[in-house]
């Protein structure tokens, strides 16, 4: 038996977000629905005809590559954060980034299309859960009558009782961010950006990069306190 030919896939676009690193990115798309992203097509695909009719859809599916993952063999079982990192499930019963093929799938809201830019048509989306520069392999319209299943079961991934942290951020620190970035940062922090399973003593200081700023914070019980907000070299989205 001859070996199967490798599947060839091309990067059609990249999404640019306010997260240069994985830490801080919401664990699922839409968890922070206000998070912005810009989808910029690769030169070969900067053809407005390829987007004809897309503006009539409110949401899109993005198929993307887990490009930030270190190279490591896939495992048939993984430990989802939702189970506290203590129980294993099959990799195909999870959304783990460590898969036989490192592919991600996210539904985002299409805010607008800017048709005429120096880089061709650009899609502005909300609710992305990707790092800055993530390769996009395909884009498809979200079709409610077939893609939405209100009766669907969630298995072990039951919706949390939406535990939100109480966030304390001094006004002088929050004011360092552009006005349009402040509420989104607070929403990200309220959702607890720490790893899904950890052992904290309340004294650990975490740091995340967001919108061109380094944000440092600590968590004590259900309360998160922002310690510092410092400008990074370069900028955000």
């Amino acid at each position: 038996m001859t070996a199967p030919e490798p599947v060839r896939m091309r990067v059609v676009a990249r999404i640019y977000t306010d997260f240069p690193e994985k830490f801080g990115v919401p664990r699922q798309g839409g968890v922070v629905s206000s998070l912005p992203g810009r989808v910029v097509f690769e030169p070969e695909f900067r053809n407005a005809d390829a987007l004809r009719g897309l503006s009539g859809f409110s949401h899109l599916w993005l198929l993307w590559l887990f490009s930030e993952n270190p190279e490591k063999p896939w495992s048939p079982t993984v430990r989802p954060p939702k189970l506290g990192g203590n129980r294993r499930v099959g990799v195909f019963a999870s959304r783990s980034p460590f898969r036989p093929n490192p592919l991600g799938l996210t539904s985002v809201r299409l805010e607008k299309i800017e048709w005429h830019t120096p880089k061709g048509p650009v899609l502005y989306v909300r609710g992305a859960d990707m790092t800055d520069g993530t390769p996009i392999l395909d884009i498809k319209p979200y079709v409610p009558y077939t893609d939405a299943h209100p009766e669907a079961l969630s298995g072990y991934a039951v919706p949390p009782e939406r535990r939100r942290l109480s966030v304390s951020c001094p006004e002088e620190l929050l004011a360092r961010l552009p006005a349009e970035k402040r509420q989104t940062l607070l929403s990200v922090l309220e959702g607890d950006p720490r790893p899904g399973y950890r052992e904290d003593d309340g004294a650990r200081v975490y740091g995340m990069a967001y919108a061109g700023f380094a944000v440092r914070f600590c968590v004590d019980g259900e309360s998160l306190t922002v310690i510092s907000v410092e400008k990074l070299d370069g900028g955000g989205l």
Side-chain angles (χ1 to χ4, degrees), residues 11 63-68 101-104 134-137:
V11 175
L63 182 66
W64 49 278
L65 191 65
F66 283 108
S67 55
E68 296 296 311
N101 294 303
L103 302 178
T134 292
I136 305 295
L137 300 179

Side-chain angles (χ1 to χ4, degrees), residues 82-98:
K82 273 190 172 293
L83 296 177
N86 300 317
R87 288 175 49 196
R88 286 188 172 272
V89 301
V91 65
F92 297 126
S94 80
R95 295 193 175 188
S96 169
F98 300 103

Side-chain angles (χ1 to χ4, degrees), residues 24 34-35 74-75 142 170 185 223:
S34 60
L35 277 177
W74 74 281
S75 169
Y142 177 99
L185 172 64
S223 299

Side-chain angles (χ1 to χ4, degrees), residues 4-234:
E5 294 185 5
V7 176
R8 179 171 177 260
M9 303 193 79
R10 291 180 289 180
V11 175
V12 301
R14 292 182 184 273
I15 188 167
Y16 295 94
T17 71
D18 284 324
F19 292 97
E21 303 168 350
K22 290 189 293 183
F23 186 83
V25 177
R27 297 181 187 93
Q28 300 293 339
V31 170
V32 181
S33 60
S34 60
L35 277 177
R38 285 186 302 115
V39 177
V40 178
F41 289 89
E42 296 291 283
E44 181 182 357
F45 301 100
R46 292 174 184 173
N47 186 330
D49 285 342
L51 303 179
R52 188 183 302 172
L54 193 65
S55 58
F57 294 90
S58 64
H59 291 73
L60 308 174
W61 288 111
L62 302 182
L63 182 66
W64 49 278
L65 191 65
F66 283 108
S67 55
E68 296 296 311
N69 283 354
E71 290 290 335
K72 71 180 242 184
W74 74 281
S75 169
T77 62
V78 296
R79 297 185 299 172
K82 273 190 172 293
L83 296 177
N86 300 317
R87 288 175 49 196
R88 286 188 172 272
V89 301
V91 65
F92 297 126
S94 80
R95 295 193 175 188
S96 169
F98 300 103
R99 321 182 65 78
N101 294 303
L103 302 178
L105 181 68
T106 299
S107 174
V108 295
R109 175 165 56 88
L110 178 60
E111 192 169 48
K112 68 175 181 177
I113 303 176
E114 193 171 317
W115 292 97
H116 305 291
T117 82
K119 294 186 176 181
V122 174
L123 309 182
Y124 288 79
V125 300
R126 295 276 180 176
D129 58 345
M130 289 158 266
T131 56
D132 192 50
T134 292
I136 305 295
L137 300 179
D138 203 2
I139 298 169
K140 299 177 186 290
Y142 177 99
V143 183
Y145 81 88
T146 185
D147 292 348
H149 302 281
E151 75 285 0
L153 301 178
S154 298
Y156 65 86
V158 293
E161 295 176 358
R162 238 25 234 159
R163 181 183 70 89
R164 310 292 288 181
L165 296 178
S166 173
V167 175
S168 173
C169 182
E171 286 297 328
E172 64 270 20
L173 296 183
L174 194 60
R176 294 180 182 178
L177 290 165
E180 69 277 9
K181 304 290 184 182
R182 298 170 190 170
Q183 185 54 55
T184 299
L185 172 64
L186 295 178
S187 295
V188 170
L189 295 176
E190 287 173 2
D192 196 349
R194 295 175 298 167
Y197 44 91
R198 67 268 163 187
E199 293 181 3
D200 282 354
D201 58 7
R204 180 171 178 178
V205 175
Y206 292 89
M208 58 180 273
Y210 169 77
F213 291 81
V215 180
R216 297 172 71 242
F217 62 91
C218 61
V219 179
D220 185 6
E222 302 296 307
S223 299
L224 181 150
T225 302
V226 177
I227 298 171
S228 66
V229 176
E230 302 291 341
K231 190 79 169 70
L232 293 170
D233 292 335

